[in-house]
Amino acid sequence: METALAKMPEQRQVFFLTILLLLWKSGSGATRYSMPEEKESGYLVANVAKDLGLRVGELATRGAQIHYKGNKELLQMDAETGNLFLKEKLDREALCGATEPCVLHFQVILENPVQFFQTELQLTDINDHSPEFPDREMLLKIPENAQPGTVFPLKAAQDSDIGSNAVQNYTVSPNIHFHVITHSRSDGRKYPELVLDRALDREEQPELTLILTALDGGAPPRSGTTIVHIEVVDINDNAPQFIQSLYEVQILENSPIDTLVVTVSARDLDSGIYGNVAYSLFQGDGLSQPFVIDEVTGEIRLSKELDFEGISHYNIEIAATDGGDLLGKCTVVIQVLDVNDNAPELMIRKLTVPVPENSAETVVAVFSVSDSDSGDNGRIVCSIQNNIPFLLKPTFENYYTLVTEGPLDRESRAEYNITITVWDLGTPRLTTQHTITVQVSDINDNAPAFTQTSYTLFVQENNSPALQIGTISATDSDSGSNAHITYSLLLPQDPQLALASLISINPDNGQLFVLRALDYESLQAFEFRVGATDQGSPALSSQTLVRVVVLDDNDNAPFVLYPMQNASAPCTELLPREAESGYLVTKVVAVDRDSGQNAWLSFQLLKATEPGLFSVWAHNGEVRTTRLLSERDVPKHRLLLLVKDNGEPQLSASVTLQVLLVNSFSQPYLSLPEVAQDPIQEDGEMLTLYLVIALASVSSLFLLSVLMFVGMRLCRRAREASLGVCSVPEGHFPGHLMDVSGTGTLSHSYQYDVCLSGDSRTGEFKFLKPMIPNVMVQEAGREVKENPPCRDSFVFS
Ligand SMILES: *[C@@H]1O[C@H](CO)[C@@H](O)[C@H](O)[C@H]1NC(C)=O
Ligand SMILES: *[C@@H]1O[C@H](CO)[C@@H](O)[C@H](O)[C@H]1NC(C)=O
Ligand SMILES: *[C@@H]1O[C@H](CO)[C@@H](O)[C@H](O)[C@H]1NC(C)=O
């Protein structure tokens, strides 16, 4: 073969290549290239970009790939330039055998959007094989009496090349007895037959040697030769004859070895050794035949497994030879029947994972299916499970794309295992499954969500600085940085509160801290918003309201409002001696700046000059007498009260009260300055008091008589007016007056105005001012004794 090529003139070779490198569009829309076989790797086949009408660089940006059935990489594409190079030397005979034309189908796949281009590469034959005879020598026995014109079959030469490069002509070396004629078989192959031109004479020439030459049609032609030995045999007998000259049988491709294919049979009219027929394979298509023939019985059996996908058709010649080496020939055509023995094949061509969520219909995978069987055995159906949002779309010949049905949501499902099932329609049905895992990649489509719509946090006042008071937390159903949350304070623009210096948040975990000690009495609660932002692009955020409630601590002692404890002159209460038991002396008023239990005050009498005389109501601070007063009671009493709150720890304040017993309300004016004096000098004062009382009783006796006189005159005048004028009408009292004339069982609804120390109009304290003229009148007039309301009515001024 090298010699043949070497002989080729240079310019003819160039011409040859130019002719074969043709480009045309085939009927299926495929771009077809043509090139001769046996080109070295790196050979430039074509430029796909130009031929497919793609822009410069488009192949690269759209991830172009070239696929060949079976995933063998025969061609290599330069995505930049679009040049298609040969990856390895292509041998037409290996790739296509006898098939003509030899076309290799390639697919160029582009993405965004997915696009297919079918390209075909036709390999043209070059005459790289010479004809070859199966044997270097042949022996042919011809009876002496054979008539001119008798035809003798010869074995044909093989040539792997096809068409004109295959065997075209047989010639025989020049001689006077024979010539060769070339016949064509049904499949186009040529075989030689030797034709007798002149009768042979064994006595003259018992043996002949001819050279049979097979010539192919290449340019230049190649040739192969064999030596034919011809033996002229003496015996006048008959050659074996087959009952049928052509046997046509079919056999299943999966038939086991040793299966009987067919039994051929030949007859020989001779008897004895010349009538014994031996069968043999005369010549097959190739050198390795999957059949053997039983020499005696003529049974043709399988010696190798058949493969329909490889060779579907055998054309073998059987020879029957008798004892005289005379030969008869028949042809057996064996058709291999396809059996569904090849499962469909699935080839993933392109897999685009992960798939971003929220994107419209997206091509996830491109795959091709194939089945080597033919007919229904090779017809393929393809499906995926039907509970997933994906679709299979037939795209191009045996290509399918797996696309998303619509936008996916990673948060509801992040991964899909998609099983592609491919089955053929043969019997039995063969299936192939392939599972691809499709991950859905995250898009920042979820804002952080707080675990609570609002937060209420409690903090005890007087807390330590930088105290963690709680944790705000939000979750984000996205993943990665799209779910990475940062917390921040969104403080109100309130300059009075200055929350920025009060509150801080850990941006990473949402822990909230109070930066300094809080005081419940000045700030009971405050609100602000906390924001949570993820780190997606664009970032999403949300807000929540946080309310911080400051809890009270018992950090304020009760404060006594009345009687005022800081006064230079302590408040002195007056108590009329005739006061009945339960008489309200005064009411201690106290407040507590704390709240709740901490401000729930209770009053207690700690110490008194005369312990049994006064009692303090624990809950309202009212100081009342417990019995009637007697003349023996000392006039000045000093009470020490304790006001306690109910907090933990309990805080208290003490109150000192001065009570002065008076006979009438005029007395305090006289004795008021003395009240402030030292109570220890009580004995001396008692003496002075008795003197004063004696003096007062004399003068009051005088005054009484004068008043009685005046009263009698007034009452007489009143009787003339036929009405009791002494009574002061009860309902006439203004609203701020009140009746405390009860005998200690005061009505619950009585009105009471404390003399508040803060009132600047009355100085340090106020006291109950009696309506002195009324009292005098009543005491003077005996007849008005049944008008008690007159007696003890007070005006609170
Ligand atoms: C075959 O060869 C013979 C002898 O060279 C020639 O005469 C004949 O034309 C050839 N036939 C073909 C078909 O080439
Ligand atoms: C998909 O298959 C893999 C491997 O078998 C398995 O680990 C994974 O859990 C499967 N995923 C789903 C969503 O079924
Ligand atoms: C007593 O205390 C009250 C309340 O703090 C205050 O208003 C008042 O001026 C004080 N009086 C004297 C005399 O200090």
Side-chain angles (χ1 to χ4, degrees), residues 381-385 392 419-423:
V381 180
C382 199
S383 77
I384 52 170
Q385 68 262 49
L392 270 191
T419 305
I420 304 168
T421 309
V422 191
W423 69 89

Side-chain angles (χ1 to χ4, degrees), residues 144 229 504:
E144 200 179 13
H229 296 285
S504 87

Side-chain angles (χ1 to χ4, degrees), residues 535-564:
Q535 291 182 354
S537 168
L540 297 175
S541 61
S542 52
Q543 295 184 3
T544 190
L545 183 73
V546 179
R547 181 177 167 82
V548 176
V549 175
V550 183
L551 298 176
D552 186 39
D553 234 358
N554 194 23
D555 57 347
N556 287 283
F559 180 78
V560 180
L561 290 176
Y562 177 81
M564 245 168 55

Side-chain angles (χ1 to χ4, degrees), residues 68-189:
Y68 172 65
K69 185 185 87 182
N71 252 4
K72 262 184 286 174
E73 279 197 55
L74 303 181
L75 298 178
Q76 197 171 30
M77 186 167 56
D78 180 344
E80 292 303 323
T81 59
N83 282 340
L84 209 55
F85 296 105
L86 207 55
K87 199 147 189 213
E88 57 184 56
K89 199 188 259 191
L90 299 183
D91 181 15
R92 195 207 63 82
E93 284 73 37
L95 289 167
C96 299
T99 309
E100 176 65 15
C102 178
V103 179
L104 309 179
H105 300 271
F106 292 89
Q107 284 82 35
V108 178
I109 304 175
L110 302 182
E111 43 189 43
N112 304 322
V114 172
Q115 224 179 339
F116 290 89
F117 293 100
Q118 174 78 295
T119 56
E120 294 172 352
L121 179 63
Q122 181 175 358
L123 283 181
T124 51
D125 188 39
I126 62 169
N127 194 19
D128 54 348
H129 293 89
S130 300
E132 230 175 295
F133 284 96
D135 304 306
R136 290 181 64 89
E137 297 184 5
M138 286 191 245
L139 177 66
L140 190 63
K141 293 192 178 180
I142 295 177
E144 200 179 13
N145 60 348
Q147 296 301 307
T150 310
V151 174
F152 303 95
L154 291 173
K155 292 187 183 180
Q158 313 278 337
D159 190 325
S160 309
D161 293 322
I162 49 154
S164 61
N165 291 333
V167 176
Q168 294 297 325
N169 205 355
Y170 291 92
T171 55
V172 73
S173 50
N175 66 92
I176 52 163
H177 293 284
F178 296 99
H179 78 270
V180 155
I181 53 171
T182 304
H183 286 286
S184 276
R185 268 190 349 202
S186 56
D187 58 4
R189 297 195 189 192

Side-chain angles (χ1 to χ4, degrees), residues 326-343:
L326 292 182
L327 191 133
K329 207 180 85 170
C330 78
T331 303
V332 180
V333 173
I334 301 166
Q335 181 104 38
V336 181
L337 296 181
D338 188 34
V339 169
N340 194 21
D341 58 348
N342 289 283

Side-chain angles (χ1 to χ4, degrees), residues 559 564 566-568 764:
F559 180 78
M564 245 168 55
N566 61 350
S568 51
E764 295 177 308

Side-chain angles (χ1 to χ4, degrees), residues 350-415:
K350 217 173 190 81
L351 192 59
T352 320
V353 287
V355 182
E357 64 173 330
N358 294 352
S359 49
E361 202 183 277
T362 311
V363 176
V364 179
V366 178
F367 62 94
S368 65
V369 291
S370 58
D371 193 310
S372 314
D373 295 319
S374 64
D376 275 353
N377 294 338
R379 282 176 62 197
I380 304 169
V381 180
C382 199
S383 77
I384 52 170
Q385 68 262 49
N386 51 17
N387 52 350
I388 50 168
F390 292 86
L391 288 177
L392 270 191
K393 283 192 177 174
T395 316
F396 169 81
E397 289 185 357
N398 283 333
Y399 279 80
Y400 288 83
T401 52
L402 179 70
V403 297
T404 59
E405 220 168 44
L408 299 173
D409 182 23
R410 192 202 65 82
E411 285 70 39
S412 54
R413 193 161 171 189
E415 191 186 74

